[in-house]
Amino acid sequence: MNMKLRLIFTALIVVCTISVFAEDKKKEEVKGYVFEDEIELAATPVKDQYRSGTCWSFSGLSFLESEMLRLGKPEVDLSEMFIVWHTYSEKAKKHVRMHGNLNFAGGGAFHDVTNMIREFGIVPESVFSGLNYGEEKHVHGEMDKVLKEHVDAVVENKNRKLTTVWHESIDATLDSYLGELPKKFEYEGKQYTPQSFASDYVGLHMDDYVEITSYTHHPFYDKFILEVPDNWSWDEVYNVPLNELEQIIEYALTNGLTVAWATDISEKGWATSNKGVAVVPAAPAEDMSDAEIAKWEALPQKEKEKELYKLEKPVPELVVTQEMRQAAFDNYQTTDDHGMHIIGTAKDQNGNTFYKVKNSWGDYNKYEGYFYASKPYVNYKTMCIMVHKDGIPQSIREKLKL
């Protein structure tokens, strides 16, 4: 090799070495979690529930919109507030029948979405936006309070018996805030009613969708009424062991079906969701020297929590058990806080599996309204899921008699 070629060859080695060193340095400097999507199923654009307690309607309809895409149907933006209108109206009847002993508020559940579509149909967002009260986004504080005071006045009932028009006045209030419900409408050049739009255009069978949870205060492989305040209609969910709940989520996603996810977001690991991650950190003692363990154990609890939730890099997480889930539910540490939509899986830079979750808070973080929830978080904090029956492994379906 002559001198000129030798110099060129040496220069190339130096450049490659510098490039590799720079890449390694760049990896070292990365803070937080880095995700690579593995499964990403079809979903409609992220929406914004804004200042309303209607996550259950947004996530439930997002789930059904993905079901339409899975089955080769057209993409459509379904009206969350059409569902909210009907749910509030039906909830008022139940609340009064229960002499006011029911949770009457803006919350709900996934089965409210399927129940209302089954009973009343559905319409597109362009036909019924629910913004009839001078706001550009959903702001329900006033409406929620007016409706609550209204039903409470009916229950208090100074007349000693109900009038024949009390429920009409509830519906009139809903008309005032959300708008009058369409009886007929045109969409893409065709005339529909809400019922015909649900059957002919949406074309999903609401009886194909089931809710599943995992708690030990009821028998496994049976149904029970999930005891949470937002289950005002007392619908039943199926109960399976925790390992099978995880199997169902994995099986559904692997086979192209998304999952509606009701969960608790009160964990400190969720508070970092603006970073795009939800985790349940464990004390990292196994990665520490004896000196580091001693230092960790000497820290006050607040300092320990501060260290755990910095999340400057992937952290060890709790090994979640069935007993932990039950204790958290029984002690009010797991509450029915939020509904979202799981549309895929991803791996972090350490190879840990996360679920990719579509939220309904608009484009609020670096993942454009999505975030990543760890398996331990989902195992620990899932209240229930909704999935198509085809998203359940056959062996589990047989146990559930589905």
mmCIF file of all heavy atoms in Angstrom, residues 170-214:
data_model
loop_
_atom_site.group_PDB
_atom_site.id
_atom_site.type_symbol
_atom_site.label_atom_id
_atom_site.label_comp_id
_atom_site.label_asym_id
_atom_site.label_seq_id
_atom_site.Cartn_x
_atom_site.Cartn_y
_atom_site.Cartn_z
ATOM 1 N N ILE A 170 -85.276 17.637 32.162
ATOM 2 C CA ILE A 170 -83.870 17.209 32.083
ATOM 3 C C ILE A 170 -83.417 17.203 30.628
ATOM 4 O O ILE A 170 -82.354 17.733 30.277
ATOM 5 C CB ILE A 170 -83.693 15.806 32.697
ATOM 6 C CG1 ILE A 170 -83.968 15.836 34.197
ATOM 7 C CG2 ILE A 170 -82.303 15.244 32.403
ATOM 8 C CD1 ILE A 170 -82.896 16.518 35.008
ATOM 9 N N ASP A 171 -84.222 16.604 29.770
ATOM 10 C CA ASP A 171 -83.877 16.551 28.347
ATOM 11 C C ASP A 171 -83.802 17.951 27.741
ATOM 12 O O ASP A 171 -82.967 18.217 26.868
ATOM 13 C CB ASP A 171 -84.895 15.711 27.582
ATOM 14 C CG ASP A 171 -84.751 14.219 27.877
ATOM 15 O OD1 ASP A 171 -83.771 13.835 28.549
ATOM 16 O OD2 ASP A 171 -85.621 13.445 27.429
ATOM 17 N N ALA A 172 -84.666 18.857 28.210
ATOM 18 C CA ALA A 172 -84.625 20.238 27.705
ATOM 19 C C ALA A 172 -83.315 20.918 28.101
ATOM 20 O O ALA A 172 -82.744 21.695 27.319
ATOM 21 C CB ALA A 172 -85.816 21.021 28.238
ATOM 22 N N THR A 173 -82.821 20.631 29.301
ATOM 23 C CA THR A 173 -81.526 21.182 29.718
ATOM 24 C C THR A 173 -80.400 20.635 28.852
ATOM 25 O O THR A 173 -79.500 21.372 28.432
ATOM 26 C CB THR A 173 -81.261 20.854 31.205
ATOM 27 O OG1 THR A 173 -82.301 21.427 31.996
ATOM 28 C CG2 THR A 173 -79.913 21.402 31.650
ATOM 29 N N LEU A 174 -80.445 19.345 28.564
ATOM 30 C CA LEU A 174 -79.437 18.747 27.678
ATOM 31 C C LEU A 174 -79.516 19.355 26.277
ATOM 32 O O LEU A 174 -78.487 19.609 25.636
ATOM 33 C CB LEU A 174 -79.637 17.227 27.619
ATOM 34 C CG LEU A 174 -79.270 16.473 28.907
ATOM 35 C CD1 LEU A 174 -79.815 15.050 28.873
ATOM 36 C CD2 LEU A 174 -77.759 16.466 29.113
ATOM 37 N N ASP A 175 -80.728 19.608 25.808
ATOM 38 C CA ASP A 175 -80.897 20.281 24.512
ATOM 39 C C ASP A 175 -80.236 21.659 24.533
ATOM 40 O O ASP A 175 -79.593 22.076 23.569
ATOM 41 C CB ASP A 175 -82.381 20.442 24.172
ATOM 42 C CG ASP A 175 -83.022 19.162 23.669
ATOM 43 O OD1 ASP A 175 -82.285 18.215 23.320
ATOM 44 O OD2 ASP A 175 -84.265 19.106 23.627
ATOM 45 N N SER A 176 -80.417 22.362 25.638
ATOM 46 C CA SER A 176 -79.892 23.724 25.726
ATOM 47 C C SER A 176 -78.366 23.735 25.645
ATOM 48 O O SER A 176 -77.783 24.585 24.978
ATOM 49 C CB SER A 176 -80.349 24.385 27.030
ATOM 50 O OG SER A 176 -81.750 24.515 27.060
ATOM 51 N N TYR A 177 -77.730 22.805 26.348
ATOM 52 C CA TYR A 177 -76.273 22.792 26.387
ATOM 53 C C TYR A 177 -75.637 22.051 25.205
ATOM 54 O O TYR A 177 -74.692 22.542 24.590
ATOM 55 C CB TYR A 177 -75.790 22.161 27.701
ATOM 56 C CG TYR A 177 -75.863 23.102 28.873
ATOM 57 C CD1 TYR A 177 -76.958 23.087 29.732
ATOM 58 C CD2 TYR A 177 -74.845 24.014 29.119
ATOM 59 C CE1 TYR A 177 -77.031 23.953 30.815
ATOM 60 C CE2 TYR A 177 -74.906 24.885 30.196
ATOM 61 C CZ TYR A 177 -76.001 24.854 31.039
ATOM 62 O OH TYR A 177 -76.063 25.721 32.107
ATOM 63 N N LEU A 178 -76.143 20.870 24.919
ATOM 64 C CA LEU A 178 -75.491 20.024 23.910
ATOM 65 C C LEU A 178 -76.139 20.137 22.538
ATOM 66 O O LEU A 178 -75.512 19.801 21.521
ATOM 67 C CB LEU A 178 -75.509 18.565 24.371
ATOM 68 C CG LEU A 178 -74.816 18.282 25.712
ATOM 69 C CD1 LEU A 178 -74.876 16.792 26.032
ATOM 70 C CD2 LEU A 178 -73.377 18.770 25.712
ATOM 71 N N GLY A 179 -77.389 20.589 22.502
ATOM 72 C CA GLY A 179 -78.097 20.702 21.228
ATOM 73 C C GLY A 179 -79.215 19.682 21.133
ATOM 74 O O GLY A 179 -79.200 18.657 21.813
ATOM 75 N N GLU A 180 -80.198 19.958 20.287
ATOM 76 C CA GLU A 180 -81.297 19.023 20.081
ATOM 77 C C GLU A 180 -80.820 17.852 19.233
ATOM 78 O O GLU A 180 -80.099 18.024 18.249
ATOM 79 C CB GLU A 180 -82.476 19.722 19.399
ATOM 80 C CG GLU A 180 -83.131 20.782 20.270
ATOM 81 C CD GLU A 180 -84.378 21.368 19.630
ATOM 82 O OE1 GLU A 180 -84.937 20.704 18.723
ATOM 83 O OE2 GLU A 180 -84.778 22.473 20.030
ATOM 84 N N LEU A 181 -81.234 16.665 19.615
ATOM 85 C CA LEU A 181 -80.789 15.466 18.911
ATOM 86 C C LEU A 181 -81.386 15.405 17.509
ATOM 87 O O LEU A 181 -82.581 15.655 17.330
ATOM 88 C CB LEU A 181 -81.210 14.219 19.694
ATOM 89 C CG LEU A 181 -80.571 14.043 21.068
ATOM 90 C CD1 LEU A 181 -81.229 12.885 21.796
ATOM 91 C CD2 LEU A 181 -79.070 13.807 20.941
ATOM 92 N N PRO A 182 -80.582 15.046 16.505
ATOM 93 C CA PRO A 182 -81.111 14.937 15.145
ATOM 94 C C PRO A 182 -81.954 13.676 14.983
ATOM 95 O O PRO A 182 -81.561 12.592 15.443
ATOM 96 C CB PRO A 182 -79.843 14.861 14.288
ATOM 97 C CG PRO A 182 -78.805 14.271 15.199
ATOM 98 C CD PRO A 182 -79.132 14.765 16.582
ATOM 99 N N LYS A 183 -83.099 13.818 14.363
ATOM 100 C CA LYS A 183 -83.924 12.645 14.062
ATOM 101 C C LYS A 183 -83.546 12.055 12.713
ATOM 102 O O LYS A 183 -83.573 10.836 12.513
ATOM 103 C CB LYS A 183 -85.407 13.027 14.091
ATOM 104 C CG LYS A 183 -85.897 13.442 15.478
ATOM 105 C CD LYS A 183 -87.365 13.800 15.468
ATOM 106 C CE LYS A 183 -87.832 14.189 16.871
ATOM 107 N NZ LYS A 183 -89.266 14.605 16.885
ATOM 108 N N LYS A 184 -83.210 12.946 11.765
ATOM 109 C CA LYS A 184 -82.736 12.538 10.445
ATOM 110 C C LYS A 184 -81.594 13.463 10.055
ATOM 111 O O LYS A 184 -81.538 14.619 10.484
ATOM 112 C CB LYS A 184 -83.849 12.618 9.395
ATOM 113 C CG LYS A 184 -84.970 11.614 9.597
ATOM 114 C CD LYS A 184 -85.994 11.741 8.471
ATOM 115 C CE LYS A 184 -87.121 10.724 8.653
ATOM 116 N NZ LYS A 184 -88.133 10.823 7.560
ATOM 117 N N PHE A 185 -80.689 12.976 9.237
ATOM 118 C CA PHE A 185 -79.574 13.813 8.775
ATOM 119 C C PHE A 185 -79.008 13.225 7.489
ATOM 120 O O PHE A 185 -79.250 12.051 7.153
ATOM 121 C CB PHE A 185 -78.490 13.906 9.848
ATOM 122 C CG PHE A 185 -77.887 12.577 10.239
ATOM 123 C CD1 PHE A 185 -76.741 12.105 9.606
ATOM 124 C CD2 PHE A 185 -78.458 11.811 11.239
ATOM 125 C CE1 PHE A 185 -76.186 10.880 9.963
ATOM 126 C CE2 PHE A 185 -77.914 10.598 11.616
ATOM 127 C CZ PHE A 185 -76.773 10.125 10.977
ATOM 128 N N GLU A 186 -78.255 14.064 6.790
ATOM 129 C CA GLU A 186 -77.591 13.626 5.567
ATOM 130 C C GLU A 186 -76.105 13.470 5.833
ATOM 131 O O GLU A 186 -75.479 14.318 6.487
ATOM 132 C CB GLU A 186 -77.819 14.635 4.442
ATOM 133 C CG GLU A 186 -77.201 14.194 3.120
ATOM 134 C CD GLU A 186 -77.518 15.143 1.968
ATOM 135 O OE1 GLU A 186 -78.692 15.561 1.867
ATOM 136 O OE2 GLU A 186 -76.580 15.469 1.214
ATOM 137 N N TYR A 187 -75.529 12.406 5.344
ATOM 138 C CA TYR A 187 -74.088 12.173 5.490
ATOM 139 C C TYR A 187 -73.582 11.505 4.223
ATOM 140 O O TYR A 187 -74.102 10.468 3.807
ATOM 141 C CB TYR A 187 -73.804 11.288 6.704
ATOM 142 C CG TYR A 187 -72.328 11.134 7.015
ATOM 143 C CD1 TYR A 187 -71.605 12.191 7.566
ATOM 144 C CD2 TYR A 187 -71.661 9.943 6.766
ATOM 145 C CE1 TYR A 187 -70.249 12.060 7.853
ATOM 146 C CE2 TYR A 187 -70.308 9.800 7.061
ATOM 147 C CZ TYR A 187 -69.608 10.856 7.605
ATOM 148 O OH TYR A 187 -68.262 10.727 7.885
ATOM 149 N N GLU A 188 -72.609 12.139 3.599
ATOM 150 C CA GLU A 188 -72.015 11.659 2.347
ATOM 151 C C GLU A 188 -73.087 11.358 1.300
ATOM 152 O O GLU A 188 -73.048 10.334 0.610
ATOM 153 C CB GLU A 188 -71.143 10.430 2.596
ATOM 154 C CG GLU A 188 -69.933 10.735 3.475
ATOM 155 C CD GLU A 188 -69.022 9.534 3.664
ATOM 156 O OE1 GLU A 188 -69.446 8.398 3.343
ATOM 157 O OE2 GLU A 188 -67.886 9.721 4.151
ATOM 158 N N GLY A 189 -74.055 12.273 1.215
ATOM 159 C CA GLY A 189 -75.055 12.189 0.156
ATOM 160 C C GLY A 189 -76.211 11.248 0.424
ATOM 161 O O GLY A 189 -77.077 11.067 -0.439
ATOM 162 N N LYS A 190 -76.266 10.640 1.626
ATOM 163 C CA LYS A 190 -77.352 9.722 1.952
ATOM 164 C C LYS A 190 -78.085 10.187 3.203
ATOM 165 O O LYS A 190 -77.512 10.845 4.061
ATOM 166 C CB LYS A 190 -76.821 8.296 2.170
ATOM 167 C CG LYS A 190 -76.254 7.647 0.919
ATOM 168 C CD LYS A 190 -75.842 6.204 1.216
ATOM 169 C CE LYS A 190 -75.295 5.522 -0.042
ATOM 170 N NZ LYS A 190 -74.894 4.118 0.241
ATOM 171 N N GLN A 191 -79.356 9.830 3.279
ATOM 172 C CA GLN A 191 -80.170 10.171 4.435
ATOM 173 C C GLN A 191 -80.126 9.030 5.459
ATOM 174 O O GLN A 191 -80.218 7.860 5.104
ATOM 175 C CB GLN A 191 -81.625 10.407 4.013
ATOM 176 C CG GLN A 191 -81.845 11.657 3.176
ATOM 177 C CD GLN A 191 -81.715 12.927 3.997
ATOM 178 O OE1 GLN A 191 -82.042 12.953 5.194
ATOM 179 N NE2 GLN A 191 -81.236 13.993 3.369
ATOM 180 N N TYR A 192 -79.981 9.432 6.731
ATOM 181 C CA TYR A 192 -79.933 8.442 7.800
ATOM 182 C C TYR A 192 -80.759 8.916 8.991
ATOM 183 O O TYR A 192 -80.986 10.117 9.171
ATOM 184 C CB TYR A 192 -78.498 8.237 8.304
ATOM 185 C CG TYR A 192 -77.535 7.630 7.317
ATOM 186 C CD1 TYR A 192 -76.680 8.443 6.562
ATOM 187 C CD2 TYR A 192 -77.459 6.244 7.163
ATOM 188 C CE1 TYR A 192 -75.784 7.885 5.677
ATOM 189 C CE2 TYR A 192 -76.549 5.682 6.278
ATOM 190 C CZ TYR A 192 -75.720 6.501 5.533
ATOM 191 O OH TYR A 192 -74.820 5.948 4.643
ATOM 192 N N THR A 193 -81.153 7.983 9.824
ATOM 193 C CA THR A 193 -81.537 8.248 11.202
ATOM 194 C C THR A 193 -80.356 7.778 12.062
ATOM 195 O O THR A 193 -79.481 7.044 11.567
ATOM 196 C CB THR A 193 -82.798 7.469 11.605
ATOM 197 O OG1 THR A 193 -82.500 6.064 11.575
ATOM 198 C CG2 THR A 193 -83.953 7.782 10.665
ATOM 199 N N PRO A 194 -80.293 8.155 13.331
ATOM 200 C CA PRO A 194 -79.209 7.628 14.165
ATOM 201 C C PRO A 194 -79.165 6.095 14.176
ATOM 202 O O PRO A 194 -78.089 5.487 14.148
ATOM 203 C CB PRO A 194 -79.526 8.190 15.554
ATOM 204 C CG PRO A 194 -80.239 9.477 15.272
ATOM 205 C CD PRO A 194 -81.069 9.193 14.056
ATOM 206 N N GLN A 195 -80.326 5.455 14.189
ATOM 207 C CA GLN A 195 -80.371 3.992 14.213
ATOM 208 C C GLN A 195 -79.884 3.401 12.893
ATOM 209 O O GLN A 195 -79.134 2.411 12.891
ATOM 210 C CB GLN A 195 -81.797 3.509 14.509
ATOM 211 C CG GLN A 195 -82.270 3.770 15.925
ATOM 212 C CD GLN A 195 -82.823 5.191 16.122
ATOM 213 O OE1 GLN A 195 -82.787 6.022 15.209
ATOM 214 N NE2 GLN A 195 -83.346 5.456 17.311
ATOM 215 N N SER A 196 -80.294 3.982 11.774
ATOM 216 C CA SER A 196 -79.863 3.426 10.479
ATOM 217 C C SER A 196 -78.384 3.707 10.225
ATOM 218 O O SER A 196 -77.695 2.912 9.585
ATOM 219 C CB SER A 196 -80.716 3.989 9.336
ATOM 220 O OG SER A 196 -80.494 5.379 9.149
ATOM 221 N N PHE A 197 -77.890 4.830 10.738
ATOM 222 C CA PHE A 197 -76.454 5.100 10.593
ATOM 223 C C PHE A 197 -75.648 4.060 11.373
ATOM 224 O O PHE A 197 -74.624 3.563 10.886
ATOM 225 C CB PHE A 197 -76.128 6.503 11.100
ATOM 226 C CG PHE A 197 -74.723 6.943 10.809
ATOM 227 C CD1 PHE A 197 -74.346 7.321 9.530
ATOM 228 C CD2 PHE A 197 -73.762 6.979 11.815
ATOM 229 C CE1 PHE A 197 -73.037 7.715 9.250
ATOM 230 C CE2 PHE A 197 -72.465 7.372 11.558
ATOM 231 C CZ PHE A 197 -72.098 7.742 10.261
ATOM 232 N N ALA A 198 -76.120 3.713 12.564
ATOM 233 C CA ALA A 198 -75.422 2.709 13.371
ATOM 234 C C ALA A 198 -75.434 1.348 12.684
ATOM 235 O O ALA A 198 -74.415 0.645 12.661
ATOM 236 C CB ALA A 198 -76.057 2.601 14.751
ATOM 237 N N SER A 199 -76.542 0.971 12.104
ATOM 238 C CA SER A 199 -76.652 -0.365 11.503
ATOM 239 C C SER A 199 -76.058 -0.428 10.107
ATOM 240 O O SER A 199 -75.353 -1.382 9.771
ATOM 241 C CB SER A 199 -78.117 -0.805 11.469
ATOM 242 O OG SER A 199 -78.894 0.096 10.691
ATOM 243 N N ASP A 200 -76.303 0.606 9.279
ATOM 244 C CA ASP A 200 -75.916 0.529 7.867
ATOM 245 C C ASP A 200 -74.522 1.087 7.594
ATOM 246 O O ASP A 200 -73.819 0.574 6.713
ATOM 247 C CB ASP A 200 -76.933 1.288 7.000
ATOM 248 C CG ASP A 200 -78.341 0.737 7.131
ATOM 249 O OD1 ASP A 200 -78.479 -0.409 7.622
ATOM 250 O OD2 ASP A 200 -79.297 1.447 6.770
ATOM 251 N N TYR A 201 -74.120 2.125 8.307
ATOM 252 C CA TYR A 201 -72.820 2.743 8.029
ATOM 253 C C TYR A 201 -71.746 2.240 8.997
ATOM 254 O O TYR A 201 -70.692 1.784 8.579
ATOM 255 C CB TYR A 201 -72.920 4.269 8.117
ATOM 256 C CG TYR A 201 -71.715 4.980 7.542
ATOM 257 C CD1 TYR A 201 -71.699 5.378 6.205
ATOM 258 C CD2 TYR A 201 -70.603 5.254 8.328
ATOM 259 C CE1 TYR A 201 -70.589 6.011 5.662
ATOM 260 C CE2 TYR A 201 -69.492 5.892 7.792
ATOM 261 C CZ TYR A 201 -69.488 6.268 6.465
ATOM 262 O OH TYR A 201 -68.379 6.895 5.931
ATOM 263 N N VAL A 202 -72.023 2.324 10.292
ATOM 264 C CA VAL A 202 -71.050 1.834 11.274
ATOM 265 C C VAL A 202 -70.965 0.318 11.216
ATOM 266 O O VAL A 202 -69.868 -0.257 11.127
ATOM 267 C CB VAL A 202 -71.416 2.319 12.690
ATOM 268 C CG1 VAL A 202 -70.483 1.711 13.738
ATOM 269 C CG2 VAL A 202 -71.362 3.852 12.747
ATOM 270 N N GLY A 203 -72.096 -0.342 11.292
ATOM 271 C CA GLY A 203 -72.152 -1.776 11.025
ATOM 272 C C GLY A 203 -71.482 -2.672 12.049
ATOM 273 O O GLY A 203 -71.096 -3.800 11.722
ATOM 274 N N LEU A 204 -71.344 -2.219 13.293
ATOM 275 C CA LEU A 204 -70.767 -3.049 14.344
ATOM 276 C C LEU A 204 -71.886 -3.628 15.211
ATOM 277 O O LEU A 204 -72.900 -2.973 15.426
ATOM 278 C CB LEU A 204 -69.817 -2.232 15.226
ATOM 279 C CG LEU A 204 -68.635 -1.556 14.530
ATOM 280 C CD1 LEU A 204 -67.839 -0.721 15.538
ATOM 281 C CD2 LEU A 204 -67.728 -2.570 13.847
ATOM 282 N N HIS A 205 -71.670 -4.827 15.722
ATOM 283 C CA HIS A 205 -72.660 -5.471 16.582
ATOM 284 C C HIS A 205 -72.234 -5.275 18.032
ATOM 285 O O HIS A 205 -71.230 -5.832 18.472
ATOM 286 C CB HIS A 205 -72.773 -6.950 16.232
ATOM 287 C CG HIS A 205 -73.163 -7.209 14.806
ATOM 288 N ND1 HIS A 205 -74.434 -6.958 14.329
ATOM 289 C CD2 HIS A 205 -72.441 -7.656 13.746
ATOM 290 C CE1 HIS A 205 -74.488 -7.252 13.036
ATOM 291 N NE2 HIS A 205 -73.293 -7.677 12.665
ATOM 292 N N MET A 206 -72.996 -4.492 18.754
ATOM 293 C CA MET A 206 -72.599 -4.118 20.113
ATOM 294 C C MET A 206 -72.502 -5.324 21.048
ATOM 295 O O MET A 206 -71.744 -5.302 22.021
ATOM 296 C CB MET A 206 -73.564 -3.089 20.681
ATOM 297 C CG MET A 206 -73.575 -1.754 19.929
ATOM 298 S SD MET A 206 -71.962 -0.926 19.900
ATOM 299 C CE MET A 206 -71.515 -1.116 18.154
ATOM 300 N N ASP A 207 -73.220 -6.389 20.750
ATOM 301 C CA ASP A 207 -73.157 -7.581 21.595
ATOM 302 C C ASP A 207 -71.837 -8.333 21.446
ATOM 303 O O ASP A 207 -71.559 -9.252 22.224
ATOM 304 C CB ASP A 207 -74.321 -8.521 21.284
ATOM 305 C CG ASP A 207 -75.664 -7.943 21.700
ATOM 306 O OD1 ASP A 207 -75.669 -7.024 22.550
ATOM 307 O OD2 ASP A 207 -76.694 -8.395 21.181
ATOM 308 N N ASP A 208 -71.031 -7.955 20.457
ATOM 309 C CA ASP A 208 -69.731 -8.612 20.256
ATOM 310 C C ASP A 208 -68.661 -8.082 21.207
ATOM 311 O O ASP A 208 -67.551 -8.628 21.250
ATOM 312 C CB ASP A 208 -69.243 -8.409 18.816
ATOM 313 C CG ASP A 208 -70.034 -9.229 17.815
ATOM 314 O OD1 ASP A 208 -70.674 -10.217 18.242
ATOM 315 O OD2 ASP A 208 -70.029 -8.882 16.623
ATOM 316 N N TYR A 209 -68.983 -7.024 21.961
ATOM 317 C CA TYR A 209 -67.972 -6.369 22.802
ATOM 318 C C TYR A 209 -68.255 -6.645 24.278
ATOM 319 O O TYR A 209 -69.384 -6.498 24.745
ATOM 320 C CB TYR A 209 -67.946 -4.866 22.512
ATOM 321 C CG TYR A 209 -67.598 -4.628 21.056
ATOM 322 C CD1 TYR A 209 -68.588 -4.381 20.114
ATOM 323 C CD2 TYR A 209 -66.276 -4.723 20.630
ATOM 324 C CE1 TYR A 209 -68.273 -4.219 18.773
ATOM 325 C CE2 TYR A 209 -65.953 -4.558 19.289
ATOM 326 C CZ TYR A 209 -66.956 -4.310 18.366
ATOM 327 O OH TYR A 209 -66.635 -4.166 17.039
ATOM 328 N N VAL A 210 -67.209 -7.069 24.981
ATOM 329 C CA VAL A 210 -67.359 -7.444 26.388
ATOM 330 C C VAL A 210 -66.307 -6.735 27.231
ATOM 331 O O VAL A 210 -65.237 -6.362 26.741
ATOM 332 C CB VAL A 210 -67.226 -8.970 26.585
ATOM 333 C CG1 VAL A 210 -68.357 -9.695 25.872
ATOM 334 C CG2 VAL A 210 -65.871 -9.479 26.104
ATOM 335 N N GLU A 211 -66.643 -6.558 28.507
ATOM 336 C CA GLU A 211 -65.716 -5.966 29.464
ATOM 337 C C GLU A 211 -65.159 -7.052 30.379
ATOM 338 O O GLU A 211 -65.887 -7.968 30.779
ATOM 339 C CB GLU A 211 -66.416 -4.890 30.282
ATOM 340 C CG GLU A 211 -66.745 -3.648 29.473
ATOM 341 C CD GLU A 211 -67.663 -2.703 30.218
ATOM 342 O OE1 GLU A 211 -68.806 -3.109 30.504
ATOM 343 O OE2 GLU A 211 -67.247 -1.562 30.513
ATOM 344 N N ILE A 212 -63.875 -6.926 30.702
ATOM 345 C CA ILE A 212 -63.178 -7.951 31.475
ATOM 346 C C ILE A 212 -62.323 -7.279 32.540
ATOM 347 O O ILE A 212 -61.700 -6.235 32.292
ATOM 348 C CB ILE A 212 -62.291 -8.811 30.561
ATOM 349 C CG1 ILE A 212 -63.133 -9.435 29.439
ATOM 350 C CG2 ILE A 212 -61.585 -9.906 31.351
ATOM 351 C CD1 ILE A 212 -62.313 -10.120 28.363
ATOM 352 N N THR A 213 -62.276 -7.888 33.726
ATOM 353 C CA THR A 213 -61.430 -7.382 34.799
ATOM 354 C C THR A 213 -60.770 -8.545 35.516
ATOM 355 O O THR A 213 -60.874 -9.700 35.080
ATOM 356 C CB THR A 213 -62.243 -6.506 35.770
ATOM 357 O OG1 THR A 213 -61.352 -5.814 36.638
ATOM 358 C CG2 THR A 213 -63.213 -7.341 36.589
ATOM 359 N N SER A 214 -60.125 -8.263 36.657
ATOM 360 C CA SER A 214 -59.432 -9.315 37.412
ATOM 361 C C SER A 214 -59.374 -8.945 38.886
ATOM 362 O O SER A 214 -58.473 -8.224 39.321
ATOM 363 C CB SER A 214 -58.014 -9.508 36.864
ATOM 364 O OG SER A 214 -57.317 -10.484 37.608
#
